[in-house]
Amino acid sequence: MASFSVRFLGCKVSHTDAHDVRERLLADGHAERAHDLGADVAVVNTCCVTHEAVRKSRQAATRAARTHRRVYVTGCAANLAGDEFAGLPANVTVVARRSEQTPDFVAGDVGALGCVQADARLDRVRAFVKIQDGCSFSCNFCVIPLVRGASRSRPAAAVLTEASRRVAQGHRELVLTGINLGCYRDRAGGYKLPRLVREVGAIPGLDRLRLSSIEVNHVDEELVAALRETPTVSRHLHVPLQSGDDGVLRDMARRYTSSTFLRRLEPLGDFNLTTDAIVGFPTESDAAFERTLAVIDAAGLTKVHVFPYSPRPGTVTAADDRVPATVKKERSARLRAASDSACLARWRGKVGSEDVVLVDRPGRGYGDDYSPWLVDAPVGELVRVRGAAVSEEGILAA
Ligand code: SF4
């Protein structure tokens, strides 16, 4: 038996990929330890969404190599063409494989010892269930199709089985994750995302269901109906905008205009809508950036995950990075400030009204629309609360 630790950098898909490796190692009889305690084996599931993400991934691998006998570097950055991890210590193995193959490869290398814990629980309250991987869109700035390959989906039967298992293990919330969820297809089973949402959402015992994120072109009548008509679905949707300027959207090859973005989200006006935005894309002028702020405001978006543009190897815009770093920094700060004030405004609207909060950490939880609440209740409980005031971290429960 080996001791091991797993950590991930980046998005929810990276999280589920890391957990797949973790589950596989637990199933093989290996013992998990906290990452900072050191162990025989470390798995670092990496991210390459920006240059900074790759730098942090490399740093995490270097640190792990000091405290672990063997380190496996997996995930997006491990699959980048180039030598991002060149020169790391000899005990580091870079696993440049698709996410589906990675758990078997790592487990095979560590050495299986027999199945003793096939039902390892991942997290006390929330579980991420991957339904799809890869992307067949080709946004000009994005390295994901290069490192994760084309879109492919898990069979609905496998998703429903895993989701039921997670609920039986006691998870109260499930998050369906994928790189481009709207591309979900199980042709043999006759499923697209809306049907899957309805069926996962109807699993007895499940309290909450969310989607990790969805491209705006996939927000159609059928999906909106599934979200609205499934009682367990949270009133929250994360829809990447990237830019509010039509010229920049075209240069990014994003397949929609700002008016399409606004029109598609109109039926979800009561949802808490969050987004991603890139600042400092090569063709983003000051005026274009102002249009991004305006669209965020007009769409009623709250939390904005801001990504200062950084050219990624192998992409169409790999050689183009003409917006100065100081401008990116200033635009990032303005966007984050707009996001903070939009969040505060939404939270203030809840003062005096009731919500049902799922407590996922000591003192904290999320309401029905995924707004953060500060509550005093046991982790794992769903509690009815009334908003008393607002702080910078969320809504204070009375
Ligand atoms: S939709 Fe575009 S930004 Fe999103 S993963 Fe696919 S290529 Fe990248």
Side-chain angles (χ1 to χ4, degrees), residues 92-175:
V92 177
T93 304
V94 178
V95 184
R97 288 174 184 257
R98 290 276 183 259
S99 59
E100 296 92 330
Q101 302 157 350
T102 300
D104 279 353
F105 176 85
V106 173
D109 214 53
V110 172
L113 293 171
C115 186
V116 295
Q117 205 178 344
D119 249 7
R121 200 172 150 191
L122 306 183
D123 179 295
R124 284 188 70 184
V125 178
R126 176 179 300 119
F128 298 95
V129 177
K130 186 152 96 175
I131 68 168
Q132 180 273 347
D133 202 342
C135 183
S136 300
F137 291 6
S138 303
C139 300
N140 285 340
F141 57 85
C142 185
V143 76
I144 295 294
L146 303 176
V147 295
R148 286 197 169 265
S151 176
R152 64 260 183 213
S153 304
R154 284 178 76 193
V159 172
L160 288 161
T161 301
E162 183 185 343
S164 298
R165 184 162 62 95
R166 297 286 180 230
V167 174
Q169 286 171 346
H171 294 101
R172 308 197 73 164
E173 176 179 326
L174 298 182
V175 184

